[in-house]
Amino acid sequence: MSLLRTWFGPSKEEIWRQFCAQTGANLVEGGFWQGSKVEARHGEWTVTLDTYTVSTGKSSITYTRMRAPYVNPDGFTFSIYREGVFSSIGKWLGMQDVNVGYPEFDEAFIIKGNDEQKLRQLFSNGKIRELISAQPAIAFSVKDLDGGFWGRSFPRGVDELYFQVVGVIKDIERLKLLYELFSETLDELCRMGSAYENDPGVKL
């Protein structure tokens, strides 16, 4: 066993290969400018797991993210993240925070969206609430891809289910729960009429 592995534990690639082996996902090797990523399938959708780093001058911050493009026929969007000091200040200043009818869940998270009825419908799914609550840190949302990204053009009506968190996730069980969260959320959006069960034709 190497000294680095003894100090820091298994590498990201090692853990992510194990995640692939347990879920049937594929590890796509990266190049010089781009790191490796994991691509997992759920129905016709592709769920992509990777990391990216943002430079802040003297230091840099690495994030783990999971993404899944899908066709969003009604434009429903949401975002959810854990309650904290700054979010409490935001609520005091009048920031939108929708209660979805489950007191412990509403107390633990800030929930926003463009359709309160659909928010309540989405989070009435107990499995989704359970999977979100299992994450120690979470920022989970729908992102609009219609405007393109760094010059890329996406088909109209295609949005992206998006998760990110600071740091590199090297916990297989947590990664599996995240993948399950994406799968269940996409299925529920489909049942709600807020997603189509077909490949959106987008490559991340």
Side-chain angles (χ1 to χ4, degrees):
M1 182 180 293
S2 70
L3 186 59
L4 286 177
R5 195 180 193 285
T6 301
W7 285 348
F8 300 110
S11 68
K12 180 192 81 173
E13 283 71 20
E14 184 177 347
I15 293 296
W16 286 17
R17 285 183 189 280
Q18 293 178 36
F19 170 74
C20 289
Q22 294 183 24
T23 60
N26 295 314
L27 183 68
V28 180
E29 299 289 351
F32 182 77
W33 295 106
Q34 192 172 23
S36 58
K37 63 182 179 180
V38 169
E39 291 184 346
R41 297 287 293 182
H42 177 68
E44 293 295 315
W45 300 296
T46 299
V47 180
T48 301
L49 166 70
D50 65 1
T51 60
Y52 71 100
T53 301
V54 176
S55 175
T56 58
K58 294 183 178 179
S59 62
S60 59
I61 302 173
T62 298
Y63 296 86
T64 297
R65 64 184 173 182
M66 190 173 277
R67 300 170 288 161
Y70 68 98
V71 179
N72 186 350
D74 62 4
F76 171 59
T77 62
F78 71 87
S79 64
I80 180 168
Y81 50 92
R82 283 197 175 275
E83 175 79 80
V85 174
F86 293 107
S87 55
S88 297
I89 293 172
K91 287 169 71 173
W92 183 72
L93 293 173
M95 182 183 71
Q96 178 200 32
D97 177 30
V98 177
N99 289 329
V100 294
Y102 301 89
E104 289 187 9
F105 190 76
D106 287 326
E107 185 70 22
F109 296 96
I110 299 294
I111 303 169
K112 299 188 287 184
N114 61 356
D115 186 321
E116 290 193 16
Q117 182 177 350
K118 281 188 174 286
L119 280 175
R120 294 188 178 94
Q121 185 177 354
L122 176 65
F123 293 112
S124 69
N125 184 314
K127 188 174 182 181
I128 289 177
R129 297 198 311 275
E130 180 182 341
L131 290 166
I132 287 174
S133 299
Q135 294 297 320
I138 189 168
F140 187 44
S141 63
V142 172
K143 286 188 140 187
D144 182 4
L145 292 183
D146 287 351
F149 180 68
W150 289 350
R152 295 176 63 186
S153 179
F154 295 99
R156 182 171 296 279
V158 173
D159 287 341
E160 181 180 58
L161 198 60
Y162 190 93
F163 163 90
Q164 76 169 26
V165 68
V166 174
V168 179
I169 299 178
K170 296 194 292 183
D171 181 329
I172 294 177
E173 292 307 314
R174 186 179 180 192
L175 291 172
K176 287 163 66 176
L177 289 173
L178 270 176
Y179 173 54
E180 190 176 353
L181 172 61
F182 268 67
S183 300
E184 184 65 27
T185 302
L186 288 166
D187 286 342
E188 185 62 37
L189 289 172
C190 211
R191 288 189 286 266
M192 291 166 51
S194 296
Y196 287 154
E197 199 171 354
N198 62 283
D199 189 337
V202 171
K203 187 71 174 177
L204 296 177

